[in-house]
């Protein structure tokens, strides 16, 4: 299994963004989800949104992706609107970080074709945390599903237990659970497992690299191109 992973500002490759949107929609629909707040397309022309895309070696197929959406006066984080429908305390919680650069890691998915290789959980997770250093984000938020929570905690996230039911919500629909999480110290990653912290730091130091990684289903060769030249 070979794949390319690259990161870019959304406004610099709108065509790939549309392909990412289409593939994400297909995956959501396969789970019976028609609408989620992170599936809005408002971010397409936002100068503060960054996309991570996982493609086949020839670039013909999209295997997965995600994005870092920086909070601004113009655009709040998608999870704020999603959580507010269940718990309005989210606005007060986010307001506690006033004056800080916040972002949400959202819109993560992987196609069924690569299920089991760890693309949507292990590798995209590491990369999302790694590239925040290029963007200058201080705190990273996310909503994660039960199967990905363990890996999210490994890469440095903590559960936001002040919201919802000890951090959990029914989202994106009844019967599906999402957990609100945050990395409060993106520079040092004090809550990350040592091996994960080391891998993330290595990606920060060498954003362009080739590596044969070990996923749950077996080895996968990854060409990383994460230098967004910001």
């Amino acid at each position: 299994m070979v794949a390319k992973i690259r990161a870019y500002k959304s406004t610099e490759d709108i065509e790939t963004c549309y392909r990412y949107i289409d593939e994400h929609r297909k995956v959501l629909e396969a789970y019976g989800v028609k609408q989620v707040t992170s599936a809005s397309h408002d971010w397409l022309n936002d100068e503060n949104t960054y996309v991570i895309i996982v493609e086949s070696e020839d670039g013909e197929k999209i295997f997965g992706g995600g994005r870092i959406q920086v909070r601004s006066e113009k655009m709040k984080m998608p999870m704020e609107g999603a959580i507010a429908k269940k718990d309005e305390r989210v606005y007060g919680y986010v307001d506690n970080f006033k004056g800080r650069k916040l972002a949400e890691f959202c819109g993560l998915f992987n196609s069924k074709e690569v299920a089991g290789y760890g693309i949507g959980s292990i590798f995209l997770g590491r990369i999302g945390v790694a590239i925040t250093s290029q963007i200058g984000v201080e705190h990273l938020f996310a909503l994660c599903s039960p199967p990905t929570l363990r890996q999210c905690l490994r890469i440095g996230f903590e559960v936001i237990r002040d919201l919802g039911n000890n951090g959990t919500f029914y989202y994106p629909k009844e019967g599906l659970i999402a957990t609100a999480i945050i990395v409060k110290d993106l520079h040092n990653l004090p809550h990350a497992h040592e091996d994960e912290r080391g891998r993330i730091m290595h990606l920060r130091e060498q954003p362009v690299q080739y590596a044969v990684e070990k996923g749950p289903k077996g080895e996968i060769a990854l060409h990383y191109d994460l230098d967004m030249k910001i």
Side-chain angles (χ1 to χ4, degrees), residues 33 38-39 51 68 72 100 105 128 143 151 157 160 175 183 203 230:
V33 178
S38 64
V51 179
I68 304 291
S72 64
R100 304 292 185 90
F105 193 13
L143 283 174
Q151 178 59 23
F157 280 94
I160 305 174
V183 182
L203 286 169
I230 300 171

Side-chain angles (χ1 to χ4, degrees), residues 89-124:
R89 290 180 298 172
V90 64
Y91 294 128
Y93 183 86
V94 172
D95 284 344
N96 289 331
F97 297 93
K98 193 172 182 179
R100 304 292 185 90
K101 193 169 184 179
L102 314 178
E104 181 181 348
F105 193 13
C106 56
L108 268 74
F109 79 94
N110 64 260
S111 67
K112 286 186 178 181
E113 188 173 349
V114 295
Y117 280 101
I119 284 174
S121 54
I122 298 171
F123 304 117
L124 280 171

Side-chain angles (χ1 to χ4, degrees), residues 113-218:
E113 188 173 349
V114 295
Y117 280 101
I119 284 174
S121 54
I122 298 171
F123 304 117
L124 280 171
R126 285 177 188 161
I127 293 163
V129 173
I131 67 171
T132 56
S133 62
Q134 296 183 52
I135 305 166
V137 173
E138 294 173 81
H139 308 293
L140 186 65
F141 291 76
L143 283 174
C144 74
S145 63
T148 60
L149 178 58
R150 181 173 171 271
Q151 178 59 23
C152 289
L153 298 179
R154 283 183 60 83
I155 60 176
F157 280 94
E158 303 171 71
V159 176
I160 305 174
R161 300 195 181 278
D162 296 337
L163 300 176
N165 180 13
N166 207 26
T168 64
F169 303 83
Y170 283 118
Y171 178 82
K173 67 175 187 175
E174 290 296 321
L176 294 180
I177 293 174
T179 302
I181 53 179
I182 183 174
V183 182
K184 291 181 179 176
D185 183 352
L186 283 162
H187 181 69
N188 297 302
L189 301 175
H191 295 285
H193 283 226
E194 188 175 346
D195 57 337
E196 291 291 347
R197 186 188 302 110
R199 194 70 190 98
I200 290 166
M201 295 304 179
H202 185 57
L203 286 169
R204 287 179 176 176
E205 292 162 8
Q206 297 183 34
V208 179
Q209 60 173 277
Y210 169 82
V212 177
E213 307 277 18
K214 191 169 185 180
K217 200 174 179 178

